[in-house]
Amino acid sequence: MNCKRCGSKAVIRIDYANLTLCAEHFSEWLETRVEKTVKDYGMVAPGDIVAVAVSGGKDSTTLLHVMKKVSERMKFDVVGINIDLGIDRGTKYSSLSTELAVRNFELTGVNYKVVKLKETHGFTIDETKHRVKRPVCSTCGLVKRYVLDEVAKEIGANVLATGHNLNDMAVFVMSGYHTGDLQNLARLRAVSPGENGYIKKIKPLFLTSEKETTTYALVNKIPFLLDSCPNNPKVGGPTSDKLRRMVELTEEEIPGFMLRLVENFERRIRPFFEDLPRFNLGKCKVCGKPTNSDRDICSFCALKIKMNGGEVSNVVSGE
Ligand SMILES: [Zn+2]
Ligand SMILES: [Zn+2]
């Protein structure tokens, strides 16, 4: 298997593009592809400050390195964020995650901030496990969304980038079709405009497959965390795990399936959801962020109050 561009030994075959590429030409191909995605979908404008959320895994570390390169061509700034969520359970998962994120911030030379959830908000994800009814991965998602938004603004960013890849997006789309949850599908966006007090959010790798992000990390010797979270070794639970396998098997049979599924969803299907009646938004009495209008306090503040030993009487049960 030789590189189609230079004839030297190829490191990857990209079936849907009918390409085999060496390390150097693959890296160039992926960086150009991400730059094109960023431009085509209006993700970043010159002068923006983009905060990249880095967990230390292959996707987020690849995202950081690629966005740093793209930023030099497109004239925007990149800063890094890592949240130490306090997930340990005998694996030191969060401290390893922070260690690897910091190594990558230093390798790319970006300014960065590490936030320890315990220090800033008084609790860890591990501690929530037996104190709240919500499944731990759902609590963790809520905390990450809230804290990333908060920290990105604190460090002066106006855009927040996360490492969701093409496989993740294909699974989200399939799972939305499967459950028929239109509100969830409507929120599934490559670019969420900053509105209602939230920062603009982008997914620059949403058209880049997991095989591509992993290969990029490996051939560029990017240090990344191989371990998966001890709370969730199979991401998303059994049903979404099976959907992931189904999507990936289909990709093998029909090269380009994931790309068409996700691109068609973003460009041709999701726009129909924009007219869906939205939840009525109210304001959280504690932090001022948007909340469902039937609540006084947003889900994050309710969680924080509970975890810090307070009473939350006016919160809908299940939190
Ligand atoms: Zn080559
Ligand atoms: Zn709040």
Side-chain angles (χ1 to χ4, degrees):
M1 194 166 93
N2 292 325
C3 174
K4 282 216 167 169
R5 304 240 164 108
C6 72
S8 59
K9 192 173 176 289
V11 294
I12 189 168
R13 167 196 290 281
I14 304 160
D15 283 322
Y16 64 85
N18 194 23
L19 267 180
T20 48
L21 293 170
C22 69
E24 189 195 330
H25 286 118
F26 168 66
S27 299
E28 198 183 287
W29 177 87
L30 187 141
E31 288 156 14
T32 307
R33 187 180 171 78
V34 174
E35 181 177 353
K36 187 172 184 318
T37 306
V38 167
K39 285 181 178 157
D40 285 356
Y41 289 85
M43 292 185 172
V44 181
D48 277 349
I49 301 178
V50 180
V52 177
V54 178
S55 69
K58 60 192 173 0
D59 299 315
S60 63
T61 52
T62 289
L63 177 66
L64 177 71
H65 286 257
V66 174
M67 285 302 274
K68 184 70 184 32
K69 294 205 165 172
V70 172
S71 74
E72 285 154 12
R73 297 184 211 158
M74 285 182 66
K75 305 288 171 229
F76 60 86
D77 275 323
V78 172
V79 292
I81 302 179
N82 170 267
I83 311 174
D84 180 341
L85 294 157
I87 299 170
D88 188 298
R89 303 184 60 214
T91 68
K92 299 205 167 18
Y93 178 74
S94 284
S95 8
L96 287 171
S97 145
T98 298
E99 201 180 302
L100 277 151
V102 169
R103 270 171 72 189
N104 282 288
F105 294 147
E106 284 174 357
L107 277 171
T108 48
V110 300
N111 289 328
Y112 64 92
K113 180 156 185 166
V114 173
V115 176
K116 269 186 181 306
L117 187 63
K118 182 77 180 174
E119 283 169 14
T120 53
H121 294 289
F123 65 96
T124 66
I125 294 297
D126 279 356
E127 289 166 2
T128 65
K129 220 177 164 192
H130 300 290
R131 304 257 324 258
V132 293
K133 284 185 204 138
R134 199 190 257 266
V136 66
C137 298
S138 156
T139 307
C140 190
L142 163 73
V143 167
K144 281 192 282 198
R145 279 193 299 279
Y146 190 95
V147 178
L148 283 175
D149 180 88
E150 184 179 48
V151 179
K153 285 186 227 152
E154 247 172 55
I155 61 176
N158 63 328
V159 181
L160 173 65
T162 53
H164 298 95
N165 63 36
L166 177 63
N167 301 49
D168 300 331
M169 291 295 281
V171 174
F172 293 149
V173 171
M174 290 309 285
S175 138
Y177 290 164
H178 175 225
T179 57
D181 188 334
L182 298 186
Q183 293 288 351
N184 245 341
L185 282 170
R187 274 195 299 267
L188 181 56
R189 314 179 69 142
V191 182
S192 315
E195 58 185 8
N196 299 321
Y198 285 107
I199 195 167
K200 177 179 179 180
K201 282 187 278 193
I202 61 171
K203 300 182 177 79
L205 300 180
F206 90 110
L207 300 176
T208 303
S209 72
E210 189 174 291
K211 176 177 162 185
E212 292 157 10
T213 60
T214 310
T215 305
Y216 187 90
L218 291 173
V219 301
N220 288 288
K221 302 193 169 54
I222 294 174
F224 66 89
L225 185 60
L226 268 170
D227 314 6
S228 34
C229 175
N231 285 325
N232 192 21
K234 292 187 174 183
V235 177
T239 304
S240 104
D241 211 48
K242 283 175 188 154
L243 283 175
R244 180 172 290 264
R245 261 205 324 253
M246 184 193 83
V247 163
E248 289 168 357
L249 282 173
T250 310
E251 176 68 29
E252 281 177 31
E253 298 290 326
I254 312 172
F257 170 77
M258 292 194 299
L259 195 59
R260 281 195 293 275
L261 178 77
V262 170
E263 225 171 359
N264 283 333
F265 175 76
E266 174 65 31
R267 284 186 184 274
R268 305 169 78 169
I269 298 173
R270 197 189 45 73
F272 286 101
F273 295 143
E274 279 177 7
D275 299 331
L276 277 184
R278 301 251 187 129
F279 291 123
N280 264 335
L281 290 178
K283 248 188 177 187
C284 171
K285 284 198 173 142
V286 179
C287 71
K289 282 200 181 184
T291 181
N292 287 351
S293 60
D294 57 348
R295 301 179 180 195
D296 289 339
I297 298 179
C298 75
S299 307
F300 180 82
C301 289
L303 174 70
K304 181 172 169 177
I305 293 168
K306 178 157 192 185
M307 291 308 300
N308 284 284
E311 283 292 318
V312 189
S313 51
N314 53 352
V315 177
V316 179
S317 66
E319 295 302 321

